[in-house]
Amino acid sequence: MKPAQPTRNEDKRLHALHDLGILDTGREDRFERIVRVAAYVSECPVVAISLIDEDRQWFKAKRGLAVNQTGRSESICGHAIHQLEPFIVEDTLNDCRFDDNPLVIGPPNIRFYAGFPFSLDSEHLLGTLCVIDHQPRKLTEACQRALLDLASIVEHELVMTQQNVIDSLTGIFNRRGFYREITNYLTDDVVIESQHTLLHFDVRQLQEVNHRYGKYAGDKVLIEFAACLTDVFDDVGWIGRLEGCEFAVLLIQQDVDAVEAQLDRFYLRLCRRLSLDRYPFVYSVGLAHFTQIDETVTLETMLLDATSNMRHYPVPTEYQGIG
């Protein structure tokens, strides 16, 4: 086995990685979605977003792996971060670098490997989006291009983390990130969408949940609330946690009936996800529709219009197939 070696700029690379503060953090939907799409595109049973630390590779998101990390020396990803181009091994048993590697001759039995490196600056490669199979294979050019695009999305998400625009608890945009994204969108000269909807959510009674069940319970409510927002609205707009218990969603090209149906889906999904935990609380949602965007429309004016039209939704302690 040829062990993975440090890169030529290892100290700076590790500094950039540790500065992100992402190692050993929890599951985040933004990365899990990338892994799911990579698995679908590649048709590989094992996919991971692997970050290469000093002595280990750690998986921020994974599919088909039973462990959260392995040693760096035996990692194939540790070889992949020495080059910007994809690192592809069609048959590890025919490659003298890996034919006796513990990860090849034992679990997870890597026979095919393709790693697509990502970085923050095209110089310090932090890890790879990798796809793995238990048998030799090849990737089509179209598949490789798709996986390169997904690795670029990983880079974008890491840049968002680096710039402190992601909420550490929920994994969605924080206030700074949400305001920046929406402001950039609204001031773009090529915005052609004719319908926009701003939703403003306010989770209430959270202090009572914290008091009765502990802070973990309150955090659980906020995490699940953000996850349900992502499940329902992520494909049609932007989602952010403005502060504490407040969330906002800007939707594009959604008519009034579609928004109402999405709000109903969100409520039912939230009830299902939180009913087993029995944390009773109420949330409010205000909405404002806009059919024209001009210089008078800002995120602040949208939020003001939305908060003037609030509705209250109680989340029951027991879910019995509501609706």
Side-chain angles (χ1 to χ4, degrees):
M1 181 190 83
K2 182 179 180 180
Q5 299 297 314
T7 60
R8 62 179 178 81
N9 51 12
E10 184 70 3
D11 289 343
K12 292 182 178 179
R13 192 193 69 81
L14 287 173
H15 177 77
L17 175 61
H18 294 162
D19 192 52
L20 279 174
I22 199 170
L23 291 173
D24 300 308
T25 56
R27 178 184 178 278
E28 295 184 54
D29 283 342
R30 57 187 177 132
F31 293 111
E32 296 292 335
R33 287 195 297 273
I34 295 171
V35 164
R36 286 198 297 270
V37 175
Y40 174 78
V41 167
S42 67
E43 298 183 334
C44 284
V46 180
V47 182
I49 295 174
S50 174
L51 295 164
I52 308 301
D53 200 359
E54 184 174 8
D55 298 312
R56 60 173 177 157
Q57 65 171 347
W58 177 77
F59 306 122
K60 176 57 183 171
K62 60 189 174 73
R63 183 187 183 99
L65 286 170
V67 297
N68 294 323
Q69 64 184 45
T70 69
R72 177 175 177 174
S73 61
E74 66 265 27
S75 72
I76 303 180
C77 292
H79 292 262
I81 62 169
H82 287 265
Q83 62 184 56
L84 289 169
E85 297 76 22
F87 186 85
I88 299 176
V89 183
E90 294 179 351
D91 188 346
T92 55
L93 292 183
N94 287 335
D95 191 313
C96 63
R97 295 171 295 179
F98 309 116
D99 57 2
D100 60 348
N101 187 300
L103 302 180
V104 171
I105 61 178
N109 302 108
I110 301 171
R111 191 73 183 274
F112 166 83
Y113 172 92
F116 297 80
F118 50 77
S119 70
L120 299 177
D121 53 13
S122 298
E123 181 180 1
H124 304 111
L125 300 178
L126 305 183
T128 73
L129 171 65
C130 62
V131 296
I132 294 167
D133 206 338
H134 306 305
Q135 58 189 5
R137 60 177 299 174
K138 295 183 178 181
L139 294 179
T140 66
E141 290 187 6
C143 181
Q144 289 187 46
R145 288 195 298 270
L147 292 169
L148 280 169
D149 287 341
L150 289 171
S152 295
I153 295 174
V154 174
E155 288 185 354
H156 174 75
E157 294 299 332
L158 293 177
V159 169
M160 293 295 100
T161 301
Q162 182 189 47
Q163 295 176 348
N164 193 27
V165 295
I166 299 299
D167 178 56
S168 59
L169 178 66
T170 62
I172 62 177
F173 281 123
N174 60 20
R175 184 183 188 90
R176 177 184 178 187
F178 187 74
Y179 267 68
R180 190 184 73 174
E181 292 289 309
I182 302 306
T183 300
N184 288 343
Y185 169 75
L186 294 177
T187 55
D188 192 328
D189 292 335
V190 298
V191 171
I192 60 174
E193 288 79 4
S194 59
Q195 296 185 83
H196 300 79
T197 304
L198 195 286
L199 303 175
H200 181 213
F201 296 84
D202 186 6
V203 180
R204 307 193 173 191
Q205 297 180 340
L206 201 62
Q207 286 186 341
E208 182 178 343
V209 172
N210 285 334
H211 178 72
R212 292 181 60 186
Y213 304 101
K215 187 177 183 301
Y216 170 81
D219 287 348
K220 168 82 170 177
V221 168
L222 294 174
I223 291 169
E224 294 293 351
F225 199 91
C228 290
L229 288 176
T230 300
D231 289 345
V232 175
F233 298 110
D234 189 56
D235 291 336
V236 290
W238 292 269
I239 305 166
R241 182 186 180 196
L242 301 185
E243 58 184 334
C245 303
E246 292 185 44
F247 298 81
V249 179
L250 179 65
L251 307 175
I252 57 175
Q253 291 303 90
Q254 302 293 298
D255 60 31
V256 175
D257 290 339
V259 173
E260 292 295 339
Q262 289 163 334
L263 287 172
D264 288 342
R265 283 178 53 214
F266 171 77
Y267 177 69
L268 294 176
R269 189 175 294 263
L270 188 65
C271 289
R272 290 189 187 102
R273 292 183 71 150
L274 286 173
S275 62
L276 295 178
D277 296 300
R278 301 178 183 272
Y279 301 146
F281 68 97
V282 173
Y283 72 90
S284 301
V285 57
L287 68 160
H289 295 285
F290 300 85
T291 56
Q292 183 178 359
I293 297 293
D294 56 34
E295 63 275 3
T296 65
V297 177
T298 65
L299 183 54
E300 286 78 9
T301 60
M302 287 181 164
L303 284 168
L304 284 173
D305 284 355
T307 53
S308 66
N309 180 29
M310 300 291 284
R311 303 180 230 165
H312 304 295
Y313 292 80
V315 174
T317 55
E318 294 186 30
Y319 176 72
Q320 297 178 338
I322 301 169

